[in-house]
Amino acid sequence: MRLLENNIQSYDFYIEKENMSHQILKGLQAPVKSISSKFLYDHRGSELFEMITDLEEYYPTRTEKKIFTESIEEITKAVGDVHTLIEYGSGSSNKIKALLHNFTSLKEYVPIDISREYLFQSSLELAMQFPHITIKAVCGDYTAPLTLPLEEEGKKVIFFPGSTIGNFEPIEVRNFLMKSSQLLKEGDGFLIGVDTKKDILTLEAAYDDAKGITAAFNLNLLKRMNHELGANFDEEQFEHLAYYNEEKGRIEMHLESQCDQIVKIGESEFTFHEGETIHTENSYKYSIDEFQMLALECGFRPSKVWTDDEGKFSVHYLEK
Ligand SMILES: C[S@@+](CC[C@H](N)C(=O)[O-])C[C@H]1O[C@@H](n2cnc3c(N)ncnc32)[C@H](O)[C@@H]1O
């Protein structure tokens, strides 16, 4: 633990190289090649993601923010007297500000993110803006076992915006929600942003924008592997692919090989055929009923839900 300012502590639990090389090699050795979307977020990846959130096509961020702005009083009332707020995948910590202004009983805020510099920078800014709140910035992988530096007392609420929950496969999402529930006691809560099912054109445009920022975000993974794992991917020989898989109810992002080629990562070699892909992200979409059923299965009681006028995005408050 390091003390950065009077009201901020940092905890660094993440070892990129060890985690990355093992998991990435395993994913590329499988019959259908895939890499976890968490590896999209190095510093450049986080910068590109921030640019995505400003795109015309990317409706989730502005819609979720609008819900927070318009419903903040109701949200504050539903959440009640919270002592500790834990945020998964806090990124630039943009959305938390509205909550920190309004959750007047809050004593500690614990943002968790895998993207180290982004996390510590945004936490420092928050610490200066909210000197009465103790900020415990945790660099770590929230899918791995983590011992969080939480105070025992008071009500705890987990905040998980951005529909990042959609990155999990059906089995993973259940494990994740059940594991999260173990951090909480009865009456504690989970405030979560969930993208809804909608027309395919809107969905696909959000993950394949005209300016090519999402493509750059996806392709940045190849650059990252070249820099950090000694790989020799030729970025020109891969293309960004994003489409809605209706049967599975998810957007899929892939990197598609444009030719037959062999790529090296350190000492390991991988053969790619023309048209073969590396599956890099899923983004599952849930109707309100589907998500509430899922929450119930995992030990949460759906307490409140807010949406925009068009039902493009939902924010759920669940109680343990
Ligand atoms: C889709 S972005 C959402 C960012 C922000 N919460 C928002 O709503 O705009 C996902 C965030 O989760 C982080 N992240 C992804 N997988 C993670 C993991 N396994 N452990 C910790 N952080 C992760 C990324 O670094 C990124 O900041």
Side-chain angles (χ1 to χ4, degrees), residues 297-312:
E297 268 179 55
C298 300
F300 289 98
R301 185 177 72 82
S303 162
K304 269 274 198 190
V305 60
W306 299 270
T307 59
D308 53 298
D309 293 343
E310 294 169 87
K312 277 187 165 172

Side-chain angles (χ1 to χ4, degrees), residues 111-275:
I112 307 167
D113 207 287
I114 209 164
S115 189
R116 179 175 290 104
E117 285 169 66
Y118 239 72
L119 167 78
F120 291 143
Q121 188 52 43
S122 53
S123 299
L124 265 175
E125 284 163 21
L126 284 178
M128 285 187 268
Q129 212 179 333
F130 299 94
H132 58 289
I133 298 173
T134 300
I135 298 182
K136 298 176 173 173
V138 176
C139 180
D141 179 347
Y142 52 57
T143 60
L146 280 180
T147 306
L148 295 177
L150 304 177
E151 282 176 18
E152 276 296 309
E153 67 198 89
K155 179 170 184 172
K156 291 185 182 54
V157 170
I158 298 175
F159 180 49
F160 198 18
S163 206
T164 309
I165 190 87
N167 294 155
F168 292 113
E169 299 270 4
I171 294 183
E172 293 168 345
V173 77
R174 285 171 174 76
N175 289 338
F176 183 77
L177 286 172
M178 286 192 266
K179 194 184 88 175
S180 300
S181 135
Q182 287 165 11
L183 286 177
L184 306 175
K185 57 187 179 316
E186 228 181 290
D188 287 350
F190 202 144
L191 184 65
I192 182 163
V194 182
D195 198 7
T196 55
K197 290 198 159 106
K198 58 186 65 65
D199 69 281
I200 295 184
L201 278 181
T202 305
L203 282 171
E204 291 189 343
Y207 294 83
D208 196 7
D209 61 281
K211 289 188 182 145
I213 310 289
T214 319
F217 170 66
N218 198 8
L219 285 158
N220 178 58
L221 180 58
L222 303 180
K223 281 203 184 89
R224 182 174 193 192
M225 289 191 279
N226 288 350
H227 290 154
E228 295 184 36
L229 303 180
N232 67 349
F233 282 97
D234 179 353
E235 220 190 295
E236 300 294 313
Q237 300 304 336
F238 285 84
E239 264 190 22
H240 166 69
L241 196 66
Y243 57 85
Y244 187 62
N245 180 333
E246 201 156 8
E247 192 195 321
K248 299 208 162 158
R250 68 187 191 195
I251 283 281
E252 294 186 12
M253 280 198 345
H254 295 256
L255 289 165
E256 183 185 57
S257 177
Q258 298 303 294
C259 59
D260 292 342
Q261 54 181 318
I262 294 173
V263 177
K264 275 188 148 193
I265 303 183
E267 299 301 309
S268 310
E269 284 193 345
F270 297 92
T271 304
F272 288 88
H273 300 296
E274 186 178 347

